[in-house]
Amino acid sequence: MTLRLNQTLVTEFILQGFSEHPQYQLPLFICFLSLYSVALLGNVLIILAITCNPGLHTPMYFFLLNLATMDIICTSSIMPKALKGLVSERNPISYSGCMAQLYFLTWAASSELLLLTVMAYDRYAAICHPLHYGNMMSKAFCSMLAAGVWAVCACNTAIHTGLMTRLNFCGPNVITHFFCEVPPLLLLSCSSTYVNSVMIVLADAFYGILNFLMTIVSYGFIISSILKMRTSEGKKKAFSTCSSHLIVVCMYYTAVFYAYISPVSSYNPEKSKVAGVLYTMLSPTLNPLIYTLRNKEVKAALRKLFPFLKN
């Protein structure tokens, strides 16, 4: 800590992690390491399969490639430090390291929420307007959507991180989480967090509520179009093209709503840790499994890329 204007300012934080449950730390280390390994391997395989197979250079797989990239950034921004904390008695993180972790995690997590909405629109265009799909989802438009997602979320994250760096931390420095997150950091600040809280409410309204409603509307049109199809084969094929995305959406929004759609003042450390595991580890691990196990084209591309998988 450093002394400034008769206040002791924090220069490092301590990540509490799961230290209050020492009996679970070894099982959690094995579990988290396994999830992290599967998440990295699965998402890297999806990126390689889509990049190396021209047959997968379509809008749906282009967005899936972006999703896999976001998952790698999300889980890699916290897991090395979290794993270290599970095998150490004390898990410090520098002030600058905490802000960097906060930035990359928030960037990836918010980008994933926005991308899921874009992917819902892609499925809407494919199922509700199949004859105009090529024009609606042109390569240039898809690139613009993806770039927009990354840029908007990078700007939003820069604002939140910038506001966080303006705060003074001069009291306790123990973060009641296994990574740097906005709510527990705000509770540690000894300066006014009013502006931060207002921006959090606005971000929650945009990312959590508006994007969720847009996704629901897209799937409302999708389900309506599927029900109007005359053949059961057509209905089955249409539903199979969006079922994987729907599963991922339900899983991700459940974790986000559970963790964040509540005031900072009602922050619950245990609840937030459980939700953190869901969206930073379980979701990046399950996403590639859901998309590959339920998708014949991705499995075929992986077998072509890795012939030994044919056996």
Side-chain angles (χ1 to χ4, degrees):
M1 294 186 180
T2 59
L3 192 67
R4 187 188 302 170
L5 298 177
N6 296 323
Q7 287 186 324
T8 304
L9 301 183
V10 170
T11 57
E12 73 170 17
F13 295 99
I14 305 297
L15 295 171
Q16 183 190 68
F18 301 90
S19 58
E20 71 274 31
H21 303 294
Q23 68 275 24
Y24 298 130
Q25 288 194 243
L26 180 58
L28 284 173
F29 176 83
I30 296 172
C31 178
F32 286 5
L33 181 61
S34 301
L35 288 173
Y36 184 43
S37 300
V38 173
L40 278 182
L41 179 62
N43 285 294
V44 167
L45 286 177
I46 282 184
I47 291 172
L48 288 174
I50 295 172
T51 303
C52 300
N53 193 316
L56 298 183
H57 292 179
T58 64
M60 182 175 74
Y61 294 110
F62 171 70
F63 293 131
L64 181 56
L65 183 148
N66 278 268
L67 182 66
T69 304
M70 291 169 186
D71 280 339
I72 291 174
I73 295 173
C74 179
T75 191
S76 295
S77 64
I78 66 159
M79 279 312 301
K81 195 66 179 172
L83 289 170
K84 180 183 177 182
L86 288 170
V87 295
S88 306
E89 292 185 7
R90 188 173 177 271
N91 190 23
I93 183 170
S94 66
Y95 177 86
S96 58
C98 185
M99 294 302 111
Q101 187 183 73
L102 177 68
Y103 181 87
F104 284 104
L105 174 63
T106 307
W107 184 29
S110 59
S111 295
E112 187 155 343
L113 280 173
L114 204 54
L115 184 67
L116 289 175
T117 303
V118 171
M119 292 172 76
Y121 175 75
D122 172 67
R123 293 300 84 209
Y124 158 77
I127 294 172
C128 299
H129 303 282
L131 298 180
H132 302 285
Y133 180 69
N135 292 327
M136 291 178 67
M137 302 302 292
S138 65
K139 185 176 181 180
F141 183 61
C142 290
S143 298
M144 185 182 71
L145 284 175
V149 167
W150 286 102
V152 167
C153 294
C155 181
N156 168 74
T157 305
I159 292 172
H160 284 283
T161 308
L163 288 172
M164 188 66 69
T165 61
R166 292 171 60 88
L167 300 179
N168 289 326
F169 297 91
C170 49
N173 66 336
V174 177
I175 298 174
T176 56
H177 213 304
F178 61 92
F179 56 83
C180 289
E181 191 181 36
V182 172
L185 280 169
L186 292 184
L187 293 176
L188 294 178
S189 174
C190 55
S191 53
S192 174
T193 59
Y194 176 76
V195 176
N196 300 72
S197 298
V198 169
M199 291 304 297
I200 288 172
V201 171
L202 293 176
D204 285 348
F206 175 70
Y207 286 104
I209 299 175
L210 182 60
N211 275 281
F212 180 71
L213 290 177
M214 290 172 65
T215 303
I216 292 296
V217 169
S218 295
Y219 272 99
F221 284 115
I222 289 171
I223 293 171
S224 177
S225 294
I226 291 176
L227 293 176
K228 291 178 183 177
M229 292 179 180
R230 296 180 179 180
T231 65
S232 58
E233 185 65 28
K235 291 180 179 179
K236 183 179 179 181
K237 184 178 180 180
F239 183 74
S240 67
T241 65
C242 60
S243 57
S244 296
H245 177 255
L246 189 58
I247 292 171
V248 171
V249 166
C250 292
M251 180 176 62
Y252 202 78
Y253 271 102
T254 297
V256 169
F257 283 147
Y258 180 72
Y260 295 113
I261 307 301
S262 61
V264 172
S265 57
S266 62
Y267 174 76
N268 185 309
E270 296 301 319
K271 172 183 170 182
S272 188
K273 288 177 189 178
V274 172
V277 171
L278 291 177
Y279 77 84
T280 64
M281 281 183 278
L282 195 60
S283 181
T285 301
L286 293 179
N287 283 356
L289 297 178
I290 291 170
Y291 280 108
T292 54
L293 292 178
R294 299 175 59 86
N295 193 301
K296 294 179 180 179
E297 292 176 313
V298 174
K299 287 191 285 186
L302 287 173
R303 291 192 187 100
K304 186 176 180 180
L305 196 60
F306 303 100
F308 61 87
L309 293 177
K310 294 180 180 180
N311 299 325

